[in-house]
Amino acid sequence: MAILLTGGAGFIGSHTAVELLCAGYEVVIADDLSNSDASVIDRIETITGRRPAFYRINVADRAALETVFSAEAIDAVIHFAGFKAVGESVEKPLAYYRNNLDSALTVLEAMQAHGCARFIFSSSATVYGLTEQIPYTEQTERRGCTNPYGWTKYMIEQILQDAAAADGDLAVVLLRYFNPVGAHPSGLLGEKPSGVPNNLMPYVTQVACGIRTHLSVFGNDYPTPDGTGVRDYIHVQDLAQGHVAAYRYILEHKGCEAFNLGTGKGYSVLELVHTFERVNGMKIPYQIAPRRAGDIAMYYAAPDKAAAELGWRACKTLEDMCRDAWRWQCRLQADEET
Ligand code: UFG
Protein backbone atom coordinates (compact mmCIF):
# COMPACT_ATOMS: atom_id res chain seq x y z
CA MET A 1 0.00 0.00 0.00
CA ALA A 2 1.17 3.49 -0.81
CA ILE A 3 0.63 7.03 0.41
CA LEU A 4 -0.34 9.51 -2.30
CA LEU A 5 1.21 12.97 -1.93
CA THR A 6 -0.62 15.54 -4.04
CA GLY A 7 1.75 18.44 -4.60
CA GLY A 8 4.52 16.08 -3.49
CA ALA A 9 7.21 17.82 -5.57
CA GLY A 10 6.69 21.10 -3.68
CA PHE A 11 8.56 22.49 -0.68
CA ILE A 12 6.77 20.68 2.15
CA GLY A 13 5.61 17.72 0.01
CA SER A 14 9.13 16.82 -1.12
CA HIS A 15 10.49 16.87 2.43
CA THR A 16 7.57 14.72 3.56
CA ALA A 17 8.24 12.24 0.74
CA VAL A 18 11.81 11.89 2.04
CA GLU A 19 10.72 11.29 5.63
CA LEU A 20 8.05 8.74 4.61
CA LEU A 21 10.49 6.84 2.36
CA CYS A 22 13.12 6.83 5.11
CA ALA A 23 10.51 5.42 7.49
CA GLY A 24 9.91 2.56 5.04
CA TYR A 25 6.59 3.64 3.48
CA GLU A 26 5.71 3.53 -0.23
CA VAL A 27 5.19 6.98 -1.76
CA VAL A 28 3.35 8.07 -4.90
CA ILE A 29 3.64 11.70 -5.97
CA ALA A 30 1.06 13.52 -8.10
CA ASP A 31 2.13 17.03 -9.07
CA ASP A 32 1.60 19.21 -12.15
CA LEU A 33 5.01 20.87 -11.58
CA SER A 34 3.38 24.32 -11.81
CA ASN A 35 5.52 25.46 -8.87
CA SER A 36 8.31 22.85 -8.82
CA ASP A 37 10.31 20.77 -11.26
CA ALA A 38 10.99 17.16 -12.14
CA SER A 39 14.55 17.23 -10.74
CA VAL A 40 12.95 17.13 -7.26
CA ILE A 41 12.02 13.49 -7.86
CA ASP A 42 15.66 12.66 -8.68
CA ARG A 43 16.80 14.48 -5.56
CA ILE A 44 14.36 12.57 -3.36
CA GLU A 45 15.89 9.40 -4.80
CA THR A 46 19.44 10.66 -4.21
CA ILE A 47 18.67 11.33 -0.54
CA THR A 48 16.67 8.20 0.23
CA GLY A 49 17.95 5.63 -2.28
CA ARG A 50 14.34 4.99 -3.26
CA ARG A 51 12.40 6.50 -6.15
CA PRO A 52 8.77 7.43 -5.56
CA ALA A 53 6.27 6.73 -8.34
CA PHE A 54 5.56 10.05 -10.06
CA TYR A 55 2.54 11.25 -12.05
CA ARG A 56 2.65 14.66 -13.69
CA ILE A 57 -1.02 15.56 -13.39
CA ASN A 58 -3.26 18.29 -12.03
CA VAL A 59 -5.21 16.61 -9.24
CA ALA A 60 -8.30 18.69 -10.03
CA ASP A 61 -8.48 16.65 -13.26
CA ARG A 62 -10.62 13.70 -12.22
CA ALA A 63 -9.78 11.55 -15.27
CA ALA A 64 -6.05 12.01 -14.70
CA LEU A 65 -6.42 11.22 -11.01
CA GLU A 66 -8.33 8.10 -11.94
CA THR A 67 -5.22 6.75 -13.70
CA VAL A 68 -3.30 7.07 -10.43
CA PHE A 69 -5.93 5.39 -8.27
CA SER A 70 -6.33 2.60 -10.86
CA ALA A 71 -2.61 1.90 -11.13
CA GLU A 72 -1.59 2.24 -7.47
CA ALA A 73 -2.90 0.77 -4.21
CA ILE A 74 -3.48 4.05 -2.35
CA ASP A 75 -3.99 3.66 1.40
CA ALA A 76 -3.98 7.35 2.33
CA VAL A 77 -3.67 10.78 0.76
CA ILE A 78 -1.64 13.71 2.04
CA HIS A 79 -3.04 16.70 0.20
CA PHE A 80 -0.45 19.45 -0.31
CA ALA A 81 -1.50 20.61 -3.79
CA GLY A 82 -2.84 24.15 -3.87
CA PHE A 83 -2.11 27.79 -4.54
CA LYS A 84 -0.42 29.37 -1.53
CA ALA A 85 0.51 33.02 -2.04
CA VAL A 86 -1.46 35.25 0.33
CA GLY A 87 -1.07 38.50 -1.69
CA GLU A 88 -1.89 36.82 -5.00
CA SER A 89 -5.03 35.33 -3.47
CA VAL A 90 -6.30 38.86 -2.74
CA GLU A 91 -5.76 39.81 -6.40
CA LYS A 92 -7.16 36.56 -7.87
CA PRO A 93 -9.72 35.24 -5.38
CA LEU A 94 -11.73 33.25 -7.92
CA ALA A 95 -8.65 31.42 -9.16
CA TYR A 96 -7.79 30.52 -5.54
CA TYR A 97 -11.27 29.33 -4.63
CA ARG A 98 -11.63 27.39 -7.91
CA ASN A 99 -8.24 25.71 -7.73
CA ASN A 100 -7.97 24.92 -4.03
CA LEU A 101 -11.56 23.81 -3.48
CA ASP A 102 -11.77 21.89 -6.77
CA SER A 103 -8.60 19.92 -6.14
CA ALA A 104 -9.61 18.98 -2.58
CA LEU A 105 -13.11 17.90 -3.67
CA THR A 106 -11.83 15.96 -6.66
CA VAL A 107 -9.30 14.08 -4.56
CA LEU A 108 -11.97 13.25 -1.96
CA GLU A 109 -14.38 12.00 -4.63
CA ALA A 110 -11.71 9.81 -6.21
CA MET A 111 -10.83 8.41 -2.78
CA GLN A 112 -14.47 7.62 -2.09
CA ALA A 113 -14.81 5.84 -5.45
CA HIS A 114 -11.76 3.69 -4.64
CA GLY A 115 -12.53 2.95 -1.00
CA CYS A 116 -9.59 5.01 0.30
CA ALA A 117 -10.57 6.53 3.66
CA ARG A 118 -7.50 8.27 5.11
CA PHE A 119 -6.83 11.93 4.39
CA ILE A 120 -4.23 14.29 5.84
CA PHE A 121 -4.69 17.95 4.98
CA SER A 122 -2.05 20.62 4.65
CA SER A 123 -3.80 23.37 6.58
CA SER A 124 -2.43 26.54 8.13
CA ALA A 125 -2.36 28.61 11.29
CA THR A 126 -3.99 31.22 9.10
CA VAL A 127 -7.36 29.56 9.93
CA TYR A 128 -7.16 31.12 13.42
CA GLY A 129 -7.54 34.51 11.76
CA LEU A 130 -7.62 37.57 13.97
CA THR A 131 -8.00 35.88 17.32
CA GLU A 132 -6.09 37.54 20.16
CA GLN A 133 -5.54 34.48 22.35
CA ILE A 134 -1.89 33.42 22.24
CA PRO A 135 -0.64 30.74 21.99
CA TYR A 136 -3.13 29.27 19.52
CA THR A 137 -4.53 25.95 20.68
CA GLU A 138 -6.67 23.74 18.47
CA GLN A 139 -9.65 24.92 20.57
CA THR A 140 -8.92 28.62 20.05
CA GLU A 141 -11.99 30.29 18.60
CA ARG A 142 -11.47 30.98 14.92
CA ARG A 143 -12.48 34.49 13.96
CA GLY A 144 -12.53 34.33 10.18
CA CYS A 145 -9.60 34.73 7.81
CA THR A 146 -7.87 37.82 6.46
CA ASN A 147 -7.47 36.70 2.82
CA PRO A 148 -8.92 34.26 0.23
CA TYR A 149 -5.98 31.85 0.58
CA GLY A 150 -6.77 31.51 4.29
CA TRP A 151 -10.47 31.07 3.57
CA THR A 152 -9.73 28.18 1.19
CA LYS A 153 -7.94 26.41 4.07
CA TYR A 154 -10.81 27.22 6.41
CA MET A 155 -13.43 26.01 3.93
CA ILE A 156 -11.61 22.78 3.12
CA GLU A 157 -11.32 22.07 6.85
CA GLN A 158 -15.11 22.50 7.09
CA ILE A 159 -15.69 20.23 4.08
CA LEU A 160 -13.52 17.57 5.70
CA GLN A 161 -15.29 17.82 9.06
CA ASP A 162 -18.65 17.39 7.32
CA ALA A 163 -17.37 14.48 5.21
CA ALA A 164 -16.00 12.70 8.29
CA ALA A 165 -19.25 13.29 10.20
CA ALA A 166 -21.21 11.71 7.35
CA ASP A 167 -18.91 8.74 6.80
CA GLY A 168 -17.93 6.79 9.90
CA ASP A 169 -15.09 5.07 8.03
CA LEU A 170 -13.33 8.27 7.03
CA ALA A 171 -10.25 9.33 9.00
CA VAL A 172 -9.05 12.92 8.57
CA VAL A 173 -6.19 14.85 10.13
CA LEU A 174 -5.93 18.62 9.69
CA LEU A 175 -2.35 19.80 10.12
CA ARG A 176 -2.14 23.51 10.88
CA TYR A 177 1.33 24.66 9.92
CA PHE A 178 2.90 27.72 11.49
CA ASN A 179 5.83 29.24 9.54
CA PRO A 180 7.78 26.52 7.69
CA VAL A 181 11.35 27.55 6.82
CA GLY A 182 14.77 25.96 6.35
CA ALA A 183 15.65 23.22 3.89
CA HIS A 184 16.88 19.65 3.77
CA PRO A 185 20.29 19.41 5.52
CA SER A 186 21.70 17.68 2.41
CA GLY A 187 21.26 20.95 0.48
CA LEU A 188 19.28 19.07 -2.18
CA LEU A 189 15.73 20.19 -1.37
CA GLY A 190 14.30 23.54 -0.38
CA GLU A 191 11.96 26.34 -1.31
CA LYS A 192 12.23 27.97 -4.72
CA PRO A 193 10.10 31.10 -4.73
CA SER A 194 9.19 32.42 -8.16
CA GLY A 195 9.79 36.15 -8.47
CA VAL A 196 10.21 38.39 -5.43
CA PRO A 197 9.79 36.29 -2.26
CA ASN A 198 6.85 37.22 -0.03
CA ASN A 199 8.10 35.35 3.00
CA LEU A 200 10.81 36.44 5.37
CA MET A 201 13.39 33.61 5.20
CA PRO A 202 13.62 33.35 1.38
CA TYR A 203 13.93 37.14 1.25
CA VAL A 204 16.75 37.07 3.80
CA THR A 205 18.65 34.38 1.86
CA GLN A 206 18.29 36.38 -1.37
CA VAL A 207 19.70 39.46 0.38
CA ALA A 208 22.52 37.29 1.74
CA CYS A 209 23.59 36.23 -1.75
CA GLY A 210 23.21 39.66 -3.28
CA ILE A 211 20.06 39.13 -5.38
CA ARG A 212 18.36 41.84 -3.27
CA THR A 213 20.09 44.86 -1.75
CA HIS A 214 18.36 44.86 1.64
CA LEU A 215 15.48 43.48 3.66
CA SER A 216 12.48 45.69 4.46
CA VAL A 217 11.37 44.98 8.02
CA PHE A 218 7.63 45.54 7.96
CA GLY A 219 7.00 47.59 11.11
CA ASN A 220 8.97 48.09 14.34
CA ASP A 221 6.14 49.52 16.40
CA TYR A 222 4.22 46.34 17.21
CA PRO A 223 3.53 45.50 20.86
CA THR A 224 6.31 42.87 20.85
CA PRO A 225 9.66 42.85 22.74
CA ASP A 226 11.62 44.60 19.93
CA GLY A 227 8.64 46.04 18.03
CA THR A 228 8.91 43.66 15.04
CA GLY A 229 6.46 40.85 14.21
CA VAL A 230 6.76 37.55 16.08
CA ARG A 231 6.14 34.16 14.42
CA ASP A 232 6.59 30.47 15.17
CA TYR A 233 9.20 29.37 12.63
CA ILE A 234 9.40 25.61 12.18
CA HIS A 235 12.08 23.66 10.32
CA VAL A 236 10.56 21.97 7.25
CA GLN A 237 12.18 18.64 8.20
CA ASP A 238 10.46 18.73 11.61
CA LEU A 239 7.23 19.59 9.83
CA ALA A 240 7.70 16.66 7.43
CA GLN A 241 8.21 14.30 10.37
CA GLY A 242 4.91 15.60 11.77
CA HIS A 243 3.24 14.11 8.68
CA VAL A 244 4.78 10.71 9.33
CA ALA A 245 3.41 10.88 12.89
CA ALA A 246 0.00 11.93 11.52
CA TYR A 247 -0.01 8.97 9.14
CA ARG A 248 0.69 6.56 12.02
CA TYR A 249 -2.10 8.21 14.03
CA ILE A 250 -4.61 7.97 11.21
CA LEU A 251 -4.03 4.22 10.92
CA GLU A 252 -5.58 3.90 14.39
CA HIS A 253 -8.19 6.69 14.50
CA LYS A 254 -11.38 7.61 12.63
CA GLY A 255 -13.14 10.99 12.58
CA CYS A 256 -11.56 14.41 12.04
CA GLU A 257 -8.86 15.90 14.30
CA ALA A 258 -6.84 19.11 13.99
CA PHE A 259 -3.22 19.46 15.16
CA ASN A 260 -0.95 22.47 15.32
CA LEU A 261 2.48 21.87 13.83
CA GLY A 262 4.66 24.56 15.37
CA THR A 263 7.48 24.74 17.88
CA GLY A 264 5.61 26.71 20.55
CA LYS A 265 8.26 29.45 20.45
CA GLY A 266 7.96 32.85 18.81
CA TYR A 267 10.86 34.79 17.30
CA SER A 268 10.79 38.36 16.03
CA VAL A 269 11.89 39.44 12.56
CA LEU A 270 15.05 40.98 14.00
CA GLU A 271 15.84 37.90 16.12
CA LEU A 272 15.68 35.80 12.95
CA VAL A 273 17.85 38.27 11.02
CA HIS A 274 20.49 38.44 13.78
CA THR A 275 20.52 34.65 14.21
CA PHE A 276 21.03 34.27 10.45
CA GLU A 277 23.92 36.75 10.59
CA ARG A 278 25.54 34.99 13.52
CA VAL A 279 25.35 31.38 12.29
CA ASN A 280 26.31 32.19 8.71
CA GLY A 281 28.92 34.84 9.51
CA MET A 282 27.53 37.70 7.43
CA LYS A 283 25.58 40.96 7.61
CA ILE A 284 22.02 41.33 6.33
CA PRO A 285 21.38 44.99 5.47
CA TYR A 286 17.84 45.99 6.47
CA GLN A 287 15.62 49.03 6.68
CA ILE A 288 12.55 49.59 8.79
CA ALA A 289 9.52 49.94 6.51
CA PRO A 290 5.80 50.54 7.20
CA ARG A 291 3.69 47.66 8.50
CA ARG A 292 2.47 45.21 5.82
CA ALA A 293 -1.31 45.22 5.37
CA GLY A 294 -2.97 42.22 7.00
CA ASP A 295 -0.03 41.31 9.28
CA ILE A 296 -0.65 40.36 12.90
CA ALA A 297 1.79 41.45 15.65
CA MET A 298 2.48 38.07 17.20
CA TYR A 299 1.38 34.47 17.28
CA TYR A 300 2.78 31.04 17.98
CA ALA A 301 1.50 27.52 18.50
CA ALA A 302 0.56 25.53 21.54
CA PRO A 303 2.15 22.28 20.30
CA ASP A 304 1.00 20.10 23.21
CA LYS A 305 -1.82 18.24 21.46
CA ALA A 306 0.53 17.03 18.72
CA ALA A 307 3.03 15.97 21.39
CA ALA A 308 0.43 14.07 23.41
CA GLU A 309 -1.52 12.43 20.60
CA LEU A 310 0.89 12.19 17.67
CA GLY A 311 4.00 11.68 19.82
CA TRP A 312 5.68 14.42 17.78
CA ARG A 313 7.58 17.56 18.73
CA ALA A 314 9.71 19.90 16.65
CA CYS A 315 13.34 19.62 17.72
CA LYS A 316 15.38 21.80 15.37
CA THR A 317 16.48 25.28 16.42
CA LEU A 318 16.29 28.66 14.72
CA GLU A 319 20.05 28.26 14.15
CA ASP A 320 19.42 25.02 12.21
CA MET A 321 16.74 26.75 10.13
CA CYS A 322 19.07 29.65 9.24
CA ARG A 323 22.03 27.39 8.46
CA ASP A 324 20.01 25.02 6.24
CA ALA A 325 18.17 27.83 4.44
CA TRP A 326 21.53 29.43 3.56
CA ARG A 327 23.06 26.13 2.40
CA TRP A 328 20.07 25.67 0.07
CA GLN A 329 20.34 29.21 -1.32
CA CYS A 330 24.03 28.59 -2.08
CA ARG A 331 23.08 25.40 -3.89
CA LEU A 332 20.43 27.24 -5.95
CA GLN A 333 23.03 29.84 -6.94
CA ALA A 334 25.56 27.17 -7.89
CA ASP A 335 22.94 25.35 -10.01
CA GLU A 336 22.06 28.55 -11.83
CA GLU A 337 25.68 29.29 -12.64
CA THR A 338 26.24 25.88 -14.26
N1 UFG B 1 8.47 40.21 7.01
C1 UFG B 1 9.29 41.30 6.86
N2 UFG B 1 9.86 41.52 5.65
C2 UFG B 1 9.67 40.70 4.57
C3 UFG B 1 8.81 39.57 4.75
C4 UFG B 1 8.24 39.37 5.97
O1 UFG B 1 9.51 42.08 7.80
O2 UFG B 1 10.20 40.97 3.49
C5 UFG B 1 7.87 39.94 8.33
C6 UFG B 1 6.35 39.96 8.35
O3 UFG B 1 5.86 41.27 8.51
C7 UFG B 1 6.04 39.01 9.51
C8 UFG B 1 7.19 38.00 9.46
O4 UFG B 1 8.23 38.62 8.71
O5 UFG B 1 6.14 39.70 10.73
C9 UFG B 1 6.80 36.69 8.77
O6 UFG B 1 6.25 36.96 7.49
P1 UFG B 1 6.07 35.83 6.39
O7 UFG B 1 5.57 36.51 5.15
O8 UFG B 1 7.30 35.01 6.27
O9 UFG B 1 4.95 34.86 7.01
P2 UFG B 1 3.45 35.18 7.51
O10 UFG B 1 3.44 34.91 8.98
O11 UFG B 1 2.98 36.48 7.04
O12 UFG B 1 2.59 34.10 6.71
C10 UFG B 1 2.90 32.72 6.77
C11 UFG B 1 2.62 32.08 5.43
C12 UFG B 1 1.17 32.03 5.11
C13 UFG B 1 0.40 31.44 6.24
C14 UFG B 1 0.73 32.09 7.54
C15 UFG B 1 0.05 31.25 8.59
O13 UFG B 1 3.26 32.80 4.39
O14 UFG B 1 0.97 31.20 3.99
O15 UFG B 1 2.14 32.11 7.75
O16 UFG B 1 0.52 31.35 9.80
F1 UFG B 1 -0.93 31.58 6.01
Side-chain angles (χ1 to χ4, degrees):
M1 296 298 272
I3 305 166
L4 173 63
L5 274 52
T6 72
F11 176 45
I12 302 170
S14 59
H15 286 81
T16 301
V18 165
E19 296 306 317
L20 287 168
L21 288 165
C22 288
Y25 298 111
E26 293 298 318
V27 170
V28 174
I29 289 177
D31 197 306
D32 65 1
L33 303 183
S34 56
N35 195 24
S36 54
D37 63 86
S39 68
V40 169
I41 309 298
D42 300 331
R43 290 165 181 228
I44 292 170
E45 185 180 12
T46 304
I47 295 168
T48 65
R50 297 176 63 204
R51 191 170 184 85
F54 172 58
Y55 294 82
R56 183 174 182 174
I57 61 159
N58 181 329
V59 295
D61 177 345
R62 177 65 194 273
L65 198 55
E66 203 56 37
T67 60
V68 181
F69 275 90
S70 304
E72 310 282 347
I74 305 296
D75 171 54
V77 175
I78 309 184
H79 183 56
F80 297 102
F83 293 166
K84 61 172 188 178
V86 172
E88 187 184 57
S89 78
V90 176
E91 287 155 28
K92 302 178 185 167
L94 299 186
Y96 269 68
Y97 286 115
R98 169 64 71 194
N99 182 70
N100 290 4
L101 296 179
D102 250 11
S103 60
L105 288 167
T106 306
V107 170
L108 284 164
E109 286 167 356
M111 286 172 60
Q112 200 174 43
H114 289 268
C116 174
R118 297 189 176 106
F119 191 91
I120 297 172
F121 179 52
S122 209
S123 190
S124 166
T126 196
V127 300
Y128 294 111
L130 292 169
T131 180
E132 275 157 23
Q133 280 176 21
I134 296 168
Y136 294 169
T137 75
E138 291 78 359
Q139 282 74 46
T140 296
E141 192 199 345
R142 293 184 285 149
R143 295 247 179 99
C145 299
T146 52
N147 56 74
Y149 158 79
W151 278 116
T152 69
K153 295 293 181 190
Y154 190 101
M155 289 175 185
I156 295 167
E157 284 202 2
Q158 185 63 49
I159 290 168
L160 289 165
Q161 277 165 26
D162 293 342
D167 177 355
D169 286 332
L170 189 59
V172 175
V173 165
L174 313 172
L175 296 178
R176 296 179 180 156
Y177 309 154
F178 281 69
N179 286 58
V181 298
H184 197 268
S186 64
L188 291 175
L189 294 175
E191 194 174 10
K192 212 174 178 177
S194 49
V196 182
N198 296 306
N199 297 118
L200 179 61
M201 186 68 96
Y203 206 102
V204 167
T205 60
Q206 290 200 359
V207 172
C209 71
I211 299 175
R212 319 252 160 230
T213 55
H214 67 278
L215 171 74
S216 295
V217 174
F218 298 141
N220 69 345
D221 56 353
Y222 284 109
T224 60
D226 65 16
T228 66
V230 168
R231 294 289 182 277
D232 185 339
Y233 297 97
I234 174 167
H235 194 291
V236 64
Q237 199 177 23
D238 275 335
L239 192 74
Q241 286 164 2
H243 293 71
V244 179
Y247 175 67
R248 291 184 176 136
Y249 171 92
I250 217 172
L251 293 174
E252 308 290 335
H253 296 81
K254 304 254 185 258
C256 180
E257 279 297 326
F259 295 97
N260 287 339
L261 294 186
T263 66
K265 263 202 197 135
Y267 289 101
S268 73
V269 174
L270 290 182
E271 278 175 311
L272 184 146
V273 168
H274 295 318
T275 305
F276 190 96
E277 292 181 327
R278 181 165 47 77
V279 302
N280 296 315
M282 59 178 64
K283 278 278 162 213
I284 301 295
Y286 68 84
Q287 287 172 7
I288 304 301
R291 291 182 179 193
R292 183 172 67 177
D295 270 354
I296 296 170
M298 163 154 95
Y299 62 85
Y300 48 89
D304 313 277
K305 184 177 174 192
E309 295 182 38
L310 302 181
W312 169 91
R313 252 188 206 285
C315 51
K316 293 195 175 252
T317 62
L318 188 61
E319 281 80 1
D320 297 326
M321 302 179 213
C322 292
R323 204 177 290 117
D324 291 339
W326 177 232
R327 186 185 297 109
W328 166 246
Q329 182 65 50
C330 295
R331 173 72 189 233
L332 273 180
Q333 290 297 107
D335 284 354
E336 258 162 40
E337 281 157 22
T338 54

